[in-house]
Amino acid sequence: MQIVMALLIGLIFGTGISISGMGNPAKVLNFFDFAGTWDPSLALVMASGVIVTAIGFRLVLARPAPALDKAFNLPTNRAIDKRLVVGSAIFGVGWGITGFCPGGAIPALGSDNFEVVVFVISMVAGMAGAMAMQLRSARKAIVSKN
Amino acid sequence: MTTSFTPASALIGGSLIGLASVLLMLTHGRIAGVTGILSGALFSGGPGKAWRIIFLIGAIAAPALIYYTTGHPMEFSVPVPNWALVAGGLIVGVGVFYGSGCTSGHGICGVSRLSPRSLVATGTFMASTSLTVFIVRHII
């Protein structure tokens, strides 16, 4: 049942991205181009997404547990640190260059355009590279401790 | 290149994105963040891997399904050369790894929960994206 629901929810998410224009780099870049060809559409995407989620989360999180799992699994990290801010700033640079964010690009893979494939492969390589760097520095820290 | 203001599809699409986030919280008890789901599907093992892969398959299938049922392809154009997609893709990958999330996880789910981390992350990437677009389009 978890799997069936995941498929259905993925379909709803992908449909939302497709209809909203969030997976269309031309539209995304125009949203951020206040000084040029500004298209305010994405403000409404974000606003409606946040409003629906805020109301829905209030109702859902009032339950003792989710429908298909034992407990809610919410992020527990509270630290507003350099890592969060610098990482988010770096993400914005890439989003601003390409017009693709992960949530927009993944559904866009189903639009049968080669450019998305180029972006997603590069993005996954970036994630894997950052993860490898972190593992290496963690290992070094352990070695130097011993 | 201009795109037209599309308030109706923006509101419908945004609401569906919100609905998906609510349903994932209701059923799986988890945040619908594509960065987390993608890295879980690709880089981690365990029992949570399967539903994440299936979610991504559903998301990818959606535009294809819309095309085959309605005949309307997803609106799509990339005003960016391939080399910039490679560079920007690498940068996005590194950024979302360290920032622990992107537009869906921080921007929609986290902001909805008024999570301080997500509010800071979202403010930061919206600002740096705006600045980047300004530099690329009006200065370089």
Side-chain angles (χ1 to χ4, degrees):
Chain A
M1 195 60 197
Q2 263 210 354
I3 298 287
V4 176
M5 284 309 295
L7 183 67
L8 182 72
I9 296 166
L11 275 169
I12 296 172
F13 181 83
T15 304
I17 293 289
S18 308
I19 294 176
S20 67
M22 205 72 193
N24 179 2
K27 209 166 172 64
V28 171
L29 291 174
N30 279 342
F31 171 68
F32 288 104
D33 192 5
F34 313 107
T37 50
W38 192 48
D39 173 357
S41 306
L42 293 198
L44 297 181
V45 178
M46 298 281 284
S48 54
V50 165
I51 291 168
V52 169
T53 307
I55 296 169
F57 274 12
R58 275 187 86 93
L59 299 172
V60 167
L61 292 172
R63 295 167 53 100
L68 303 176
D69 209 333
K70 289 185 198 74
F72 289 108
N73 208 306
L74 297 170
T76 50
N77 187 353
R78 291 269 168 278
I80 294 174
D81 48 13
K82 204 170 107 190
R83 184 187 161 101
L84 176 79
V85 174
V86 174
S88 299
I90 292 173
F91 161 49
V93 172
W95 197 17
I97 292 174
T98 61
F100 279 121
C101 62
I106 293 291
L109 281 172
S111 72
D112 192 25
N113 285 284
F114 183 65
E115 290 101 329
V116 202
V117 180
V118 172
F119 173 83
V120 170
I121 289 173
S122 312
M123 176 181 79
V124 169
M127 289 167 82
M131 202 174 290
M133 290 258 290
Q134 176 168 293
L135 280 175
R136 230 181 63 174
S137 57
R139 207 173 293 140
K140 254 190 206 155
I142 291 170
V143 170
S144 64
K145 236 186 225 169
N146 295 337
Chain B
M1 154 180 217
T2 58
T3 52
S4 45
F5 179 46
T6 49
S9 53
L11 290 171
I12 296 168
S15 302
L16 287 174
I17 295 168
L19 176 66
S21 307
V22 174
L23 286 175
L24 194 70
M25 187 58 75
L26 173 65
T27 56
H28 295 63
R30 284 179 183 274
I31 295 287
V34 171
T35 297
I37 292 177
L38 182 64
S39 68
L42 292 175
F43 305 122
S44 71
K49 198 179 176 84
W51 74 260
R52 290 184 171 87
I53 294 172
I54 299 292
F55 173 94
L56 295 172
I57 290 172
I60 295 169
L65 212 64
I66 294 171
Y67 178 63
Y68 286 117
T69 51
T70 68
H72 294 294
M74 177 178 152
E75 268 184 56
F76 189 84
S77 72
V78 186
V80 177
N82 274 332
W83 68 264
L85 292 177
V86 172
L90 287 167
I91 295 170
V92 167
V94 171
V96 296
F97 175 76
Y98 285 108
S100 313
C102 57
T103 328
S104 48
H106 282 311
I108 301 282
C109 295
V111 168
S112 299
R113 297 169 57 227
L114 297 176
S115 147
R117 262 174 70 82
S118 292
L119 291 169
V120 169
T122 305
T124 306
F125 65 65
M126 295 304 275
S128 84
T129 308
S130 307
L131 187 66
T132 305
V133 170
F134 184 77
I135 291 171
V136 170
R137 291 202 166 174
H138 301 287
I139 293 182
I140 295 177

